[in-house]
Amino acid sequence: MRILLSFLLALAFPSLLVGQEIYIRTFGKPSDKPVIYLHGGPGYNCVNFEVTTAQKLADKGFFVIVYDRQGEGRSTAVNALFTFDDSFATLNKIYTDYNLKQATLIGHSFGGILATLFAEKYPDKIQSVVLAGAPVSLQETFKTIIKSSKAIYEKNNDQISLNYIKLLENMDPKSLEYSSYCFGNAMKNGFYSPKNPTAEAKAIYSLFGTDENLKKYAASMSYEGPQGFWKNESYTTLDLTANIRNLLTGKVKIYGIYGKEDGLFSSEQITALESQIGKENLLYLDNCSHNAFIDQQASFIDALIQWIN
C-alpha cells in the first residue's frame, strides 16, 4: 500500500514526518532479510525498481524497502537540504521505524554514492553494499561519455554535435553545466539502454507503456536535487576509491552489478572496481546497460540471492 498522504504517513511513520512527506513502500515479510533500494539521480525516484523488481525480489525471501529521497520524486520537502547528512538522517529513520539492525543497501547510479558514504559512516548498520551501475568517479564517467559521444559523431560526420563536444571539452569539469551536458549527450546517444534487449527485458520495458506509475514518474526528473547536491556536496567531483578501500578494510562486503552496454562506464573503470572488490564480487553482464535490474533481471536477482543469503 502506498504511503503518501500525510495522514497515513503520520500514523504509520511519525518519526519520518518532520515538515515533509516521504514516499515509501515495502514488499515482503518484515522477518525476511532487509534490503533498501537507493535510487539514482539526484532528482529522480524509485519507480523503476519499485514497479519492475521489488516484488520479485521479495518473492525470493527479502524484505524490500524503496523510497524517494526528500525533495525528490514523490517525496515533498519544503525544507529539503540536499546534503548527504540530510539523506543519511532519513535513511537512519527508516532503520529505526522498521527496527532494522542491519540491511543490504542496493545503490543504483547516484544511489551507490549515497550507499557507499552511508556505509562508511555507519558500518555496523550494513550487511552489504551492492553498487548497481554506480559511479566510483563521476569525472571519469564524464570523460567516458565525451570520448564515446565524440566517436559516434565522428563516425556520422556530425559536425554540429562535434562543435558542441569541443565546447564541452573546454568547460569547467567541476561545473554543474558540464555534468548536465555530459549526461545530455549520454541520453542522446542511448547510453542508458541495451542495444539488443533480451526477451525478458522487452517484456519488462513494455510496462512503461501500460503501468500508470511508470508512465507518470519514470521520466520525471527535478532540477533542485542535482543543483542542491552539487552546491552543497560537489558530488560530481567525488572519487570513492578511497572510501571503498576503507569499507573493505573494515570488512564491509561490497558487490557490483554493471552492464557491458552501459555507456557511462568504460571497461577500464569496471576493471579498476573489480580489482578492488574482487572478481567474484562483480557481475559484468552482456546485453545490459544502466538498469541491470531490468535489462538482466533474473541474473540480477540470482546474484543478490547468492551474495546476501
Side-chain angles (χ1 to χ4, degrees):
M1 178 179 180
R2 235 178 252 172
I3 303 172
L4 184 56
L5 297 176
S6 59
F7 173 71
L8 292 178
L9 185 58
L11 286 177
F13 305 101
S15 59
L16 280 179
L17 187 60
V18 185
Q20 61 188 28
E21 297 172 347
I22 299 297
Y23 177 92
I24 187 167
R25 284 193 70 186
T26 66
F27 300 80
K29 302 175 184 177
S31 57
D32 287 339
K33 291 188 176 181
V35 171
I36 305 174
Y37 174 76
L38 280 65
H39 66 78
Y44 195 48
N45 57 70
C46 68
V47 71
N48 284 5
F49 187 88
E50 172 193 345
V51 173
T52 67
T53 309
Q55 184 60 58
K56 293 182 180 179
L57 185 58
D59 291 341
K60 297 297 183 179
F62 297 98
F63 179 54
V64 181
I65 301 172
V66 304
Y67 72 103
D68 292 352
R69 286 184 297 273
Q70 57 270 47
E72 300 181 56
R74 295 152 291 182
S75 291
T76 61
V78 175
N79 59 341
L81 301 179
F82 299 112
T83 65
F84 293 145
D85 283 342
D86 196 34
S87 298
F88 297 164
T90 300
L91 193 47
N92 274 319
K93 291 289 188 182
I94 292 173
Y95 271 80
T96 299
D97 288 324
Y98 288 101
N99 298 311
L100 305 179
K101 295 190 181 300
Q102 286 192 329
T104 289
L105 302 182
I106 300 177
H108 179 235
S109 201
F110 174 73
I113 294 175
L114 292 176
T116 301
L117 297 178
F118 181 88
E120 188 175 33
K121 191 169 185 177
Y122 304 100
D124 293 341
K125 294 188 174 187
I126 304 300
Q127 180 184 353
S128 57
V129 172
V130 178
L131 302 175
V136 173
S137 167
L138 272 172
Q139 289 296 307
E140 287 302 313
T141 281
F142 298 147
K143 291 177 184 177
T144 296
I145 292 171
I146 291 174
K147 181 179 179 180
S148 299
S149 296
K150 190 173 184 177
I152 291 172
Y153 301 147
E154 288 176 340
K155 181 180 179 181
N156 296 332
N157 194 28
D158 185 348
Q159 292 300 319
I160 294 177
S161 294
L162 284 171
N163 288 336
Y164 280 117
I165 287 292
K166 185 178 295 185
L167 292 173
L168 184 55
E169 289 174 325
N170 288 298
M171 290 180 66
D172 179 1
K174 296 179 180 179
S175 68
L176 184 59
E177 291 77 13
Y178 176 82
S179 64
S180 298
Y181 291 141
C182 283
F183 287 134
N185 277 278
M187 185 70 70
K188 175 182 177 180
N189 291 310
F191 290 173
Y192 293 94
S193 303
K195 297 178 179 62
N196 297 297
T198 64
E200 175 192 51
K202 288 179 180 178
I204 298 172
Y205 278 117
S206 70
L207 295 174
F208 285 70
T210 59
D211 184 272
E212 290 304 317
N213 284 318
L214 285 171
K215 287 167 66 175
K216 187 172 183 180
Y217 298 111
S220 177
M221 292 286 292
S222 67
Y223 185 69
E224 292 82 4
Q227 184 180 45
F229 277 105
W230 174 81
K231 179 181 178 181
N232 298 320
E233 303 290 1
S234 301
Y235 80 98
T236 63
T237 64
L238 292 179
D239 187 326
L240 300 179
T241 303
N243 307 84
I244 292 172
R245 182 167 58 247
N246 291 340
L247 288 175
L248 294 172
T249 300
K251 307 302 181 182
V252 173
K253 298 175 183 177
I254 302 179
Y255 304 100
I257 303 180
Y258 291 79
K260 293 182 180 179
E261 294 183 10
D262 189 339
L264 303 191
F265 308 105
S266 65
S267 58
E268 289 79 12
Q269 287 171 274
I270 303 302
T271 298
L273 178 59
E274 181 182 88
S275 68
Q276 266 203 295
I277 67 177
K279 186 174 183 178
E280 70 280 6
N281 297 326
L282 191 141
L283 192 61
Y284 198 26
L285 295 165
D286 292 316
N287 296 322
C288 180
S289 187
H290 198 55
N291 298 311
F293 53 87
I294 296 177
D295 298 342
Q296 290 286 355
Q297 188 177 86
S299 296
F300 180 91
I301 292 176
D302 286 346
L304 292 179
I305 293 171
Q306 177 184 341
W307 291 334
I308 300 174
N309 283 337

